Structure formats: structure tokens, C-alpha cells
């Protein structure tokens, strides 16, 4: 029974890797297309500030996806959830929000809440890196002796 569950878990992780990878490839193609569109619309080879912020937003979303992919790969290889990767993804996601912040649309209180989250995540990241904390999850078949007894 445990071997079946381990096989299902490993299959799901590989499936997630494939889906995330395909999504990242499509996102990259979209970014290249968006850049081409912005460069070729008059005035040519000029990207206004709004367009530049849109491109930065897309690039940061791609970076978040790459960090998620790295987290999944690390879990698959080592059976360890690297907490620092997850914290980095959260920091990048909030930083993306701050970078593309529209002051006309949102109030400063909302920006302060994002600042508080970044400070909290920054402190958390610092403490995790300093302590070198990793969460070890139950093995998915790395130990042959244990599996043979089951």
C-alpha cells in the first residue's frame, strides 16, 4: 500500500513539473510576443513607462514561476521542502506588486501593509538562512532497507 502511495505521489510531482514547465514556456513566449508588439507599435522602438511596467510585471511573474519550479525539483530530489525558496517566492510576489503599484488606484494604507509583509518575510528569510532550517518529510523510497521490511 505504501509503495502505491509513493508511486502516486512521485507521479503527481512529475505531473506538476511538466505542467509548471509548460506554463513557464508559454509565459516566456507571451513575454517575447508582448515585447515585439510594444517595440513595433508606433512610435517604433519606444516603450512608454506603462508598457515597461507591464513587461516588468510579466517578467517577475515568470521569475516567481521559476522559483516554484525550483522548489518542486528540490522536493523531488531530496524529499526536503526548502523553506527559503518558498519565502523567496513570497518576497518576489510582493515585490512585484510594489513595483507595479498604481498610486491612483490604491491607498497608501495598502502599500504600508505590503511593506509590513516584506519586512516580516525579510526577517523570516534572514532567520531561516542563519539557522539553515529545512523540513524533512517522510521518505518516498530512498531507504531500501525500510521498504523491504514493509
Amino acid at each position: 500500500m505504501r509503495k502505491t502511495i509513493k508511486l502516486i505521489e512521485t507521479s503527481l510531482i512529475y505531473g506538476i513539473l511538466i505542467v509548471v514547465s509548460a506554463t513557464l514556456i508559454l509565459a516566456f513566449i507571451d513575454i517575447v510576443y508582448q515585447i515585439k508588439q510594444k517595440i513595433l507599435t508606433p512610435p517604433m522602438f519606444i516603450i512608454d513607462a506603462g508598457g515597461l511596467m507591464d513587461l516588468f510585471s510579466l517578467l517577475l511573474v515568470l521569475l516567481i514561476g521559476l522559483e516554484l519550479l525550483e522548489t518542486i525539483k528540490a522536493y523531488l530530489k531530496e524529499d526536503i521542502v526548502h523553506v527559503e525558496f518558498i519565502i523567496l517566492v513570497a518576497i518576489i510576489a510582493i515585490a512585484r506588486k510594489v513595483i507595479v503599484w498604481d498610486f491612483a488606484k490604491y491607498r497608501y494604507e495598502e502599500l504600508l501593509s505590503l511593506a509590513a509583509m516584506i519586512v516580516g518575510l525579510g526577517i523570516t528569510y534572514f532567520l531561516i538562512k542563519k539557522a539553515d532550517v529545512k523540513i524533512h518529510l517522510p521518505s518516498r523510497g530512498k531507504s531500501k532497507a525500510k521498504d523491504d521490511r514493509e
Side-chain angles (χ1 to χ4, degrees), residues 80-94:
I80 297 172
V81 176
H82 290 271
V83 179
E84 65 267 18
F85 287 152
I86 296 169
I87 299 296
L88 276 175
V89 169
I91 290 171
I92 293 167
I94 294 173

Side-chain angles (χ1 to χ4, degrees), residues 68-86:
L68 287 173
L69 187 66
E70 189 64 33
T71 302
I72 297 166
K73 287 186 335 189
Y75 175 72
L76 185 62
K77 288 179 186 175
E78 304 169 17
D79 280 344
I80 297 172
V81 176
H82 290 271
V83 179
E84 65 267 18
F85 287 152
I86 296 169

Side-chain angles (χ1 to χ4, degrees), residues 72-127:
I72 297 166
K73 287 186 335 189
Y75 175 72
L76 185 62
K77 288 179 186 175
E78 304 169 17
D79 280 344
I80 297 172
V81 176
H82 290 271
V83 179
E84 65 267 18
F85 287 152
I86 296 169
I87 299 296
L88 276 175
V89 169
I91 290 171
I92 293 167
I94 294 173
R96 174 193 166 273
K97 189 73 171 168
V98 171
I99 289 169
V100 298
W101 191 262
D102 184 4
F103 284 94
K105 187 175 178 183
Y106 300 107
R107 298 186 328 249
Y108 75 92
E109 291 92 355
E110 293 166 317
L111 186 60
L112 289 176
S113 67
L114 287 176
M117 284 189 273
I118 288 177
V119 168
L121 287 168
I123 292 169
T124 303
Y125 183 76
F126 172 77
L127 292 173

